[in-house]
Amino acid sequence: MKFLLHSTLVATAAASLIACGGGSSGGGNGNNDPEPSMTSISIPVAARANGTDINCDAQLSGLSSDATNGVVKAFAIYVHDLVLINADGSEMPVTLEENDWQSGGVALLDYQDKLDSCASANSKPTNNTVAGTIDGTLAQVTGLRFTVGVPSNMNHQDTTAAASPLNRSDLFWSWQTGYKHLRMDVAPDGGVLKQDGSSSATYNIHLGSTGCVGDPQTGETVNCSADNRPTITLDVSDIANQQVVIDYAKLVENNSLLADDGGAPGCMSGPTDPECQGIFDALGMGIGENSDPNPGQTVFSIESL
């Protein structure tokens, strides 16, 4: 299967989750041991807000506790450790393809289709598909699991020397020397009123590991007190005809996009940032020392194509 970079072509490729065929199939190896069956897969991941597809031109509505409207300025998310789960509980890790959107087992999903935070008329590539191979078939698959973000062993590196898609400086925090596992910036109508009376044009959600200590440039190991990588598990019933959905409206349903009570507008993953509790609850994850988040995430779901 050929991975397609252009957004239009990617959308076509993402029309279904496809078992693209095996490199080999069962039939024995002369020792009465069945040979593994390799299956190529392409998993579509749609991004929406209250049913509206995410892109730079989309007018989003009914957002947050304010039921406000807004437009996207940035919308991207890293994922890794994708696993398909069979009915008997056995697991099939997905070996991701190596391409411009996937490297070292990490994939980037990016829905911002114009340059300069959507301010430009010039388009940029997007990606809404994760592609790889499993050692097995899709016949008994009843679930999938993945982790949001960049794994810790790859999280603190020089983006200028990293392979794509880990070479994105807009998805990297210099102050934590690590990646933004997730970046979703939206400009609500009327802007965001800050606690000091000033305003911001955008409400920014940047999820990343925090409390990081160590300088990777001098060879030190970097340790972070909060990894902030939610693991998402979803039930599937007909994986060949289903897709993953990210719902931004669910991510912010516990927050107000029109007012910020402290820190940078939105959530920068800090344990004392008042806007982060609602965001972390939606992701089913504790914040800081809080080990008791709301049960279950609400942002990711499965739907039929």
Side-chain angles (χ1 to χ4, degrees), residues 1 3 52 54 74 166 211 260 264-266 269 290 294 302:
M1 183 185 62
F3 187 75
T52 300
I54 297 290
L166 294 168
D260 187 273
S269 302
N290 177 15
N294 283 347
I302 291 287

PDB file of all heavy atoms in Angstrom, residues 1 3 52 54 74 166 211 260 264-266 269 290 294 302:
ATOM      1  N   MET A   1       0.846  -1.194   0.000  1.00  0.00           N
ATOM      2  CA  MET A   1       0.000   0.000   0.000  1.00  0.00           C
ATOM      3  C   MET A   1       0.871   1.230   0.000  1.00  0.00           C
ATOM      4  O   MET A   1       1.839   1.318   0.728  1.00  0.00           O
ATOM      5  CB  MET A   1      -0.881   0.003   1.248  1.00  0.00           C
ATOM      6  CG  MET A   1      -1.828   1.160   1.293  1.00  0.00           C
ATOM      7  SD  MET A   1      -2.717   1.159   2.834  1.00  0.00           S
ATOM      8  CE  MET A   1      -1.387   1.361   3.979  1.00  0.00           C
ATOM      9  N   PHE A   3       1.546   5.084   0.799  1.00  0.00           N
ATOM     10  CA  PHE A   3       1.065   6.156   1.663  1.00  0.00           C
ATOM     11  C   PHE A   3       0.971   7.440   0.866  1.00  0.00           C
ATOM     12  O   PHE A   3       1.865   7.786   0.103  1.00  0.00           O
ATOM     13  CB  PHE A   3       2.036   6.325   2.820  1.00  0.00           C
ATOM     14  CG  PHE A   3       1.545   7.285   3.843  1.00  0.00           C
ATOM     15  CD1 PHE A   3       0.561   6.948   4.716  1.00  0.00           C
ATOM     16  CD2 PHE A   3       2.088   8.549   3.898  1.00  0.00           C
ATOM     17  CE1 PHE A   3       0.124   7.841   5.657  1.00  0.00           C
ATOM     18  CE2 PHE A   3       1.667   9.451   4.834  1.00  0.00           C
ATOM     19  CZ  PHE A   3       0.669   9.082   5.716  1.00  0.00           C
ATOM     20  N   THR A  52     -18.779  18.502  12.815  1.00  0.00           N
ATOM     21  CA  THR A  52     -18.129  19.258  11.746  1.00  0.00           C
ATOM     22  C   THR A  52     -16.685  18.805  11.588  1.00  0.00           C
ATOM     23  O   THR A  52     -15.932  18.787  12.568  1.00  0.00           O
ATOM     24  CB  THR A  52     -18.149  20.764  12.057  1.00  0.00           C
ATOM     25  OG1 THR A  52     -19.507  21.199  12.171  1.00  0.00           O
ATOM     26  CG2 THR A  52     -17.448  21.564  10.956  1.00  0.00           C
ATOM     27  N   ILE A  54     -12.822  18.822  11.009  1.00  0.00           N
ATOM     28  CA  ILE A  54     -11.811  19.826  11.352  1.00  0.00           C
ATOM     29  C   ILE A  54     -10.963  20.170  10.131  1.00  0.00           C
ATOM     30  O   ILE A  54     -10.373  19.308   9.483  1.00  0.00           O
ATOM     31  CB  ILE A  54     -10.892  19.312  12.471  1.00  0.00           C
ATOM     32  CG1 ILE A  54     -11.677  19.072  13.774  1.00  0.00           C
ATOM     33  CG2 ILE A  54      -9.712  20.262  12.689  1.00  0.00           C
ATOM     34  CD1 ILE A  54     -12.158  20.309  14.447  1.00  0.00           C
ATOM     35  N   ALA A  74      -4.635  25.378  14.804  1.00  0.00           N
ATOM     36  CA  ALA A  74      -3.686  24.254  14.750  1.00  0.00           C
ATOM     37  C   ALA A  74      -4.409  23.037  15.297  1.00  0.00           C
ATOM     38  O   ALA A  74      -5.197  23.155  16.261  1.00  0.00           O
ATOM     39  CB  ALA A  74      -2.428  24.544  15.562  1.00  0.00           C
ATOM     40  N   LEU A 166       8.992  13.882  13.383  1.00  0.00           N
ATOM     41  CA  LEU A 166       9.475  14.374  14.669  1.00  0.00           C
ATOM     42  C   LEU A 166      10.374  15.594  14.504  1.00  0.00           C
ATOM     43  O   LEU A 166      11.063  15.995  15.440  1.00  0.00           O
ATOM     44  CB  LEU A 166      10.212  13.250  15.396  1.00  0.00           C
ATOM     45  CG  LEU A 166       9.312  12.076  15.797  1.00  0.00           C
ATOM     46  CD1 LEU A 166      10.139  10.881  16.249  1.00  0.00           C
ATOM     47  CD2 LEU A 166       8.345  12.501  16.901  1.00  0.00           C
ATOM     48  N   GLY A 211       7.330  18.856  34.229  1.00  0.00           N
ATOM     49  CA  GLY A 211       8.215  18.588  35.357  1.00  0.00           C
ATOM     50  C   GLY A 211       9.472  17.855  34.917  1.00  0.00           C
ATOM     51  O   GLY A 211       9.998  17.000  35.634  1.00  0.00           O
ATOM     52  N   ASP A 260     -10.316  32.605  30.727  1.00  0.00           N
ATOM     53  CA  ASP A 260      -9.196  31.833  31.263  1.00  0.00           C
ATOM     54  C   ASP A 260      -8.883  32.337  32.657  1.00  0.00           C
ATOM     55  O   ASP A 260      -8.735  33.539  32.873  1.00  0.00           O
ATOM     56  CB  ASP A 260      -7.963  31.974  30.354  1.00  0.00           C
ATOM     57  CG  ASP A 260      -6.830  31.074  30.775  1.00  0.00           C
ATOM     58  OD1 ASP A 260      -6.029  31.482  31.631  1.00  0.00           O
ATOM     59  OD2 ASP A 260      -6.758  29.941  30.247  1.00  0.00           O
ATOM     60  N   ALA A 264      -1.178  30.618  30.821  1.00  0.00           N
ATOM     61  CA  ALA A 264      -1.384  30.892  29.408  1.00  0.00           C
ATOM     62  C   ALA A 264      -2.803  30.496  29.012  1.00  0.00           C
ATOM     63  O   ALA A 264      -3.366  29.559  29.585  1.00  0.00           O
ATOM     64  CB  ALA A 264      -0.363  30.118  28.586  1.00  0.00           C
ATOM     65  N   PRO A 265      -3.400  31.202  28.055  1.00  0.00           N
ATOM     66  CA  PRO A 265      -4.786  30.895  27.671  1.00  0.00           C
ATOM     67  C   PRO A 265      -4.928  29.447  27.224  1.00  0.00           C
ATOM     68  O   PRO A 265      -4.210  28.983  26.345  1.00  0.00           O
ATOM     69  CB  PRO A 265      -5.047  31.864  26.517  1.00  0.00           C
ATOM     70  CG  PRO A 265      -4.060  32.970  26.697  1.00  0.00           C
ATOM     71  CD  PRO A 265      -2.842  32.337  27.289  1.00  0.00           C
ATOM     72  N   GLY A 266      -5.851  28.726  27.881  1.00  0.00           N
ATOM     73  CA  GLY A 266      -6.025  27.314  27.580  1.00  0.00           C
ATOM     74  C   GLY A 266      -5.309  26.448  28.594  1.00  0.00           C
ATOM     75  O   GLY A 266      -5.138  26.824  29.754  1.00  0.00           O
ATOM     76  N   SER A 269      -0.793  21.914  30.237  1.00  0.00           N
ATOM     77  CA  SER A 269      -0.497  20.647  30.922  1.00  0.00           C
ATOM     78  C   SER A 269       0.052  20.812  32.321  1.00  0.00           C
ATOM     79  O   SER A 269       0.416  19.806  32.960  1.00  0.00           O
ATOM     80  CB  SER A 269       0.479  19.774  30.104  1.00  0.00           C
ATOM     81  OG  SER A 269      -0.034  19.488  28.832  1.00  0.00           O
ATOM     82  N   ASN A 290      -2.866  14.135  41.100  1.00  0.00           N
ATOM     83  CA  ASN A 290      -4.218  13.595  41.173  1.00  0.00           C
ATOM     84  C   ASN A 290      -4.284  12.253  40.448  1.00  0.00           C
ATOM     85  O   ASN A 290      -4.099  12.183  39.244  1.00  0.00           O
ATOM     86  CB  ASN A 290      -5.200  14.578  40.524  1.00  0.00           C
ATOM     87  CG  ASN A 290      -6.615  14.020  40.512  1.00  0.00           C
ATOM     88  OD1 ASN A 290      -6.905  13.049  41.213  1.00  0.00           O
ATOM     89  ND2 ASN A 290      -7.484  14.634  39.725  1.00  0.00           N
ATOM     90  N   ASN A 294     -11.748  11.507  36.184  1.00  0.00           N
ATOM     91  CA  ASN A 294     -13.041  10.959  35.823  1.00  0.00           C
ATOM     92  C   ASN A 294     -12.827   9.627  35.112  1.00  0.00           C
ATOM     93  O   ASN A 294     -11.887   9.457  34.353  1.00  0.00           O
ATOM     94  CB  ASN A 294     -13.778  11.925  34.881  1.00  0.00           C
ATOM     95  CG  ASN A 294     -14.376  13.092  35.631  1.00  0.00           C
ATOM     96  OD1 ASN A 294     -14.467  13.084  36.847  1.00  0.00           O
ATOM     97  ND2 ASN A 294     -14.775  14.105  34.886  1.00  0.00           N
ATOM     98  N   ILE A 302     -15.319   5.147  18.202  1.00  0.00           N
ATOM     99  CA  ILE A 302     -15.329   4.375  16.961  1.00  0.00           C
ATOM    100  C   ILE A 302     -16.670   4.590  16.278  1.00  0.00           C
ATOM    101  O   ILE A 302     -17.725   4.607  16.927  1.00  0.00           O
ATOM    102  CB  ILE A 302     -15.138   2.872  17.254  1.00  0.00           C
ATOM    103  CG1 ILE A 302     -13.725   2.600  17.762  1.00  0.00           C
ATOM    104  CG2 ILE A 302     -15.424   2.031  16.013  1.00  0.00           C
ATOM    105  CD1 ILE A 302     -12.649   2.684  16.704  1.00  0.00           C
TER     106      ILE A 302
END
